[in-house]
Amino acid sequence: MSNLGYAVSDTLVLAKRNFLRIPRAPDLLLAFTVQPLMFVLLFAYVFGGAIATPGHSYIDFLIPGILVQTMSFGGFVTALGIAEDLKKGLIDRFRSLPMSRAAVLSGRTLADIATNVIQITVMLVVGVIIGFGFSTSFLEVVAGLLILLLFGYAFSWVFAFIGLTSSSPEAAQSLGFIVIFPLSFVSSAFVPPETMPAALQWFAEWNPFSIVVDALRALFIGDPAGNSVWGAVAWSLGIAIVFAFLAVWKYKRAVVR
Amino acid sequence: MPAEAAIEARGLRKAYGSVEALKGVDLAAPAGTVLGLLGPNGAGKTTAVRILTTLLPADGGSARVAGVDVRTEAPLLRSRIGLAGQYAAVDENLTGYENLEMVGRLYHLPKGQPRERAKRLLESFELADAGDRLVRTYSGGMRRRLDLAAALVAEPPVLFLDEPTTGLDPRSRLTLWETIEARVAEGTTVLLTTQYLDEADRLADRISVIDHGLVIAEGSSDELKDQLGGESLEVTLEEEAATEAAIAALASLCAAEPRRDDGVLRIPVAQRRGAVAEAVRRLGEAGVGIDDISMRRPTLDDVFLELTGHAAEAEDEEEEVTSR
């Protein structure tokens, strides 16, 4: 078999390993699904009343934002899993095998798509229960979901890199929060950026989170799309490529701590 | 067997920042033998293994394993080695069988073989009954056995075992030793690091004693012990006050200066045969009471103490942390 063939088959072997983990050790996935759910309830019922979202109910405004944040929370499972593998010497074992150097990570991120699908489903069901509704065509909704999954896939690579860079699973978690909090909150996910001070507004408008959120609002609830849909795809691909490169580079130098 | 050594390292050097983990280490293991790398924690054992298994680039020196250069032919090398580390590097959320099958597939074994080898290894490691259970339900000993089994899936010609029995109960240790011996009997070359002297004594054909990043002694277990001189007669006297009288009585048996440790008299003897009987007779004639008397060879513990100035299991945690 060619190197590329092995890269694909090794990736599938590792993806299977991570798929099997989902039902067998659902604790992490559960925790990082409940967290965004709490944000939904917090924003919908505690802060939401004080946030003006012209043209939409706050629930309709919120759900696309929360979905994007959920994708980034899903990444924690990746970071913690990889930090754990590193700590337990599994990464050493894999690195001593004649397998593809990218497969541990590409297998993990591939399996993450499954966890992301689970999280999106849970979030949409809860969203619909509390009053969210799509106001666009079926194809637009599907396109939105695909963009969401692509963005989630890109973030799996970001978190794979974080997991490999951190000195422990605990550090991976803290580092993850430091990255995710400003990105997800200083964005258009929860409040319209126009209400923010100028500097934050500038950040929020360039923040890829906002661009993906705007794309989802266009495809789910019919907001004007502008360049956001193509912007979201471009950002996601860009992030995936850059961080895939960084993560594999880091993996080759990984050391047990 | 090819004449070439299965493991050969020359002048391996590695530093972590200002800490020199290896300061020029030479190692050699002919095919089909066990090389024991003996040393306290932090001596550089794990660093050497990591270099030889391509996990870590050396700063200097060269190494060949299974006929392949560690630096320039790493991908090929990885298909010829198995590694079992200090931690049981197995996936807790897979079953024993799934772990072995996964490793087999990652070694790119021909179709069907990963499955067959996984089953066979589970049998031979007494894990067949537990094969379909998740590894997180396994005991420590079972995990180690599974870890070793994973290193053997591809039947590699060279095996690296980094402290394979640290933290195991005596029975599990014995089982693991027997398994390793069986592989060696089939021609596998093993590099074994350990801080247990009995383990090195039992398994290793040659031992390299490593301390502070340098090989400070090399040889078979017997050769190392012989460096400390031959056998000695150990006499425990009924009364310590009689020590001088005892030394005088045994003077003609002494091959070297007698030593006194904790009330035990150690008399290096030139000849083992008849030494005990002769000593008993002389001490009896001199009226010195004997509590206990025996012949004793130096143990590897003695060798280790002599060479490194500290006991084998002395903790030296600080360096070990930086060496990983």
Side-chain angles (χ1 to χ4, degrees):
Chain A
M1 216 190 289
S2 67
N3 279 345
L4 185 65
Y6 280 134
V8 172
S9 66
D10 292 347
T11 297
L12 293 178
V13 171
L14 268 299
K16 181 183 161 200
R17 166 192 175 226
N18 293 309
F19 275 128
L20 289 173
R21 187 201 162 95
I22 298 169
R24 290 176 184 178
D27 48 345
L28 272 182
L29 176 61
L30 210 64
F32 287 106
T33 304
V34 168
Q35 232 154 350
L37 274 182
M38 283 164 55
F39 276 115
V40 172
L41 301 177
L42 180 71
F43 275 88
Y45 297 113
V46 181
F47 301 143
I51 301 169
T53 50
H56 298 293
S57 75
Y58 186 65
I59 297 286
D60 282 347
F61 179 87
L62 176 67
I63 292 298
I66 284 280
L67 280 170
V68 175
Q69 196 195 34
T70 304
M71 290 300 91
S72 61
F73 270 99
F76 278 95
V77 181
T78 310
L80 289 172
I82 287 177
E84 194 85 8
D85 284 352
L86 204 53
K87 190 175 152 191
K88 290 196 172 148
L90 263 167
I91 299 283
D92 265 3
R93 156 142 289 142
F94 291 136
R95 287 182 62 227
S96 78
L97 296 177
M99 59 185 282
S100 153
R101 308 266 92 189
V104 168
L105 305 172
S106 56
R108 164 78 59 172
T109 52
L110 187 63
D112 283 346
I113 296 176
T115 56
N116 287 343
V117 167
I118 295 170
Q119 291 189 309
I120 291 172
T121 308
V122 171
M123 197 57 58
L124 279 178
V125 167
V126 172
V128 167
I129 290 171
I130 63 171
F132 174 76
F134 294 106
S135 51
T136 50
S137 71
F138 176 72
L139 281 183
E140 282 171 302
V141 171
V142 170
L145 291 173
L146 289 177
I147 286 178
L148 194 58
L149 286 173
L150 179 65
F151 179 74
Y153 183 71
F155 255 78
S156 288
W157 282 105
V158 174
F159 276 88
F161 179 67
I162 288 175
L164 286 168
T165 311
S166 317
S167 57
S168 67
E170 293 76 18
Q173 183 153 359
S174 312
L175 187 59
F177 273 110
I178 290 168
V179 173
I180 290 309
F181 257 68
L183 281 173
S184 65
F185 284 104
V186 188
S187 76
S188 61
F190 299 96
V191 296
E194 300 85 70
T195 60
M196 298 177 191
L200 287 186
Q201 191 180 333
W202 179 85
F203 178 81
E205 278 164 5
W206 282 97
N207 183 346
F209 266 65
S210 301
I211 292 165
V212 178
V213 170
D214 292 348
L216 290 193
R217 288 203 180 111
L219 293 166
F220 287 174
I221 57 172
D223 266 9
N227 294 321
S228 65
V229 172
W230 295 116
V233 172
W235 265 108
S236 302
L237 287 176
I239 290 171
I241 291 166
V242 169
F243 279 89
F245 180 80
L246 284 174
V248 172
W249 172 80
K250 192 75 192 166
Y251 172 82
K252 289 182 184 166
R253 283 153 190 80
V255 273
V256 176
R257 271 102 29 164
Chain B
M1 280 298 135
E4 190 183 11
I7 301 170
E8 188 163 30
R10 282 179 192 285
L12 287 185
R13 282 188 295 105
K14 181 73 194 176
Y16 302 95
S18 61
V19 182
E20 280 187 281
L22 297 179
K23 300 171 186 166
V25 164
D26 296 343
L27 297 170
T33 67
V34 179
L35 172 64
L37 210 50
L38 191 62
N41 280 335
K45 304 187 299 285
T46 298
T47 302
V49 169
R50 291 180 64 81
I51 290 172
L52 294 173
T53 53
T54 77
L55 296 180
L56 193 69
D59 296 341
S62 65
R64 291 176 75 79
V65 173
V68 170
D69 188 276
V70 170
R71 193 190 300 263
T72 59
E73 298 166 284
L76 181 58
L77 174 61
R78 293 185 192 112
S79 66
R80 299 187 184 178
I81 57 169
L83 169 66
Q86 296 183 34
Y87 314 95
V90 286
D91 189 332
E92 304 225 310
N93 294 308
L94 296 182
T95 65
Y97 170 79
E98 285 167 346
N99 265 290
L100 296 183
E101 200 231 13
M102 173 178 75
V103 171
R105 292 178 62 181
L106 294 174
Y107 266 112
H108 304 147
L109 298 181
K111 206 170 164 48
Q113 278 210 23
R115 177 187 298 263
E116 183 211 320
R117 297 250 177 106
K119 283 189 181 146
R120 210 173 58 217
L121 283 166
L122 287 171
E123 294 275 341
S124 62
F125 280 76
E126 297 170 38
L127 290 169
D129 293 338
D132 290 326
R133 262 165 49 200
L134 295 188
V135 170
R136 64 176 183 231
T137 67
Y138 282 23
S139 70
M142 291 165 79
R143 285 173 199 225
R144 285 298 182 85
R145 294 213 296 279
L146 185 66
D147 187 49
L148 181 57
L152 296 172
V153 167
E155 300 181 348
V158 179
L159 204 53
F160 290 89
L161 305 175
D162 191 9
E163 305 201 5
T165 65
T166 299
L168 281 190
D169 63 86
R171 195 185 157 274
S172 305
R173 273 183 97 194
L174 204 61
T175 319
L176 219 59
W177 284 355
E178 284 164 358
T179 318
I180 294 166
E181 283 166 343
R183 306 306 304 191
V184 176
E186 287 169 24
T188 306
T189 310
V190 176
L191 186 147
L192 168 89
T193 80
T194 184
Q195 44 176 323
Y196 299 125
L197 302 150
D198 53 342
E199 187 161 290
D201 214 353
R202 168 157 179 171
L203 294 177
D205 298 299
R206 308 286 293 176
I207 295 171
S208 288
V209 182
I210 182 167
D211 195 29
H212 297 297
L214 283 171
V215 174
I216 53 175
E218 200 276 327
S220 68
S221 171
D222 283 342
E223 286 167 5
L224 290 174
K225 290 171 187 169
D226 286 346
Q227 287 182 4
L228 278 198
E231 300 180 81
S232 45
L233 191 61
E234 285 193 357
V235 189
T236 312
L237 302 174
E238 278 176 357
E239 285 171 48
E240 231 182 308
T243 304
E244 291 308 323
I247 290 175
L250 299 174
S252 64
L253 288 175
C254 279
E257 196 65 18
R259 295 209 322 251
R260 274 172 274 184
D261 298 314
D262 296 331
V264 179
L265 198 55
R266 284 215 172 89
I267 314 230
V269 292
Q271 202 188 342
R272 179 192 173 95
R273 173 179 282 195
V276 173
E278 181 66 15
V280 170
R281 196 179 58 77
R282 291 190 188 192
L283 289 172
E285 278 174 5
V288 177
I290 308 168
D291 186 45
D292 187 34
I293 183 163
S294 62
M295 289 298 298
R296 184 171 166 273
R297 285 204 75 188
T299 63
L300 269 181
D301 286 270
D302 299 326
V303 175
F304 203 83
L305 200 63
E306 180 76 17
L307 287 169
T308 66
H310 47 84
E313 278 146 62
E315 291 297 308
D316 200 354
E317 290 287 347
E318 207 177 329
E319 270 184 75
E320 186 70 357
V321 171
T322 45
S323 77
R324 284 206 230 106

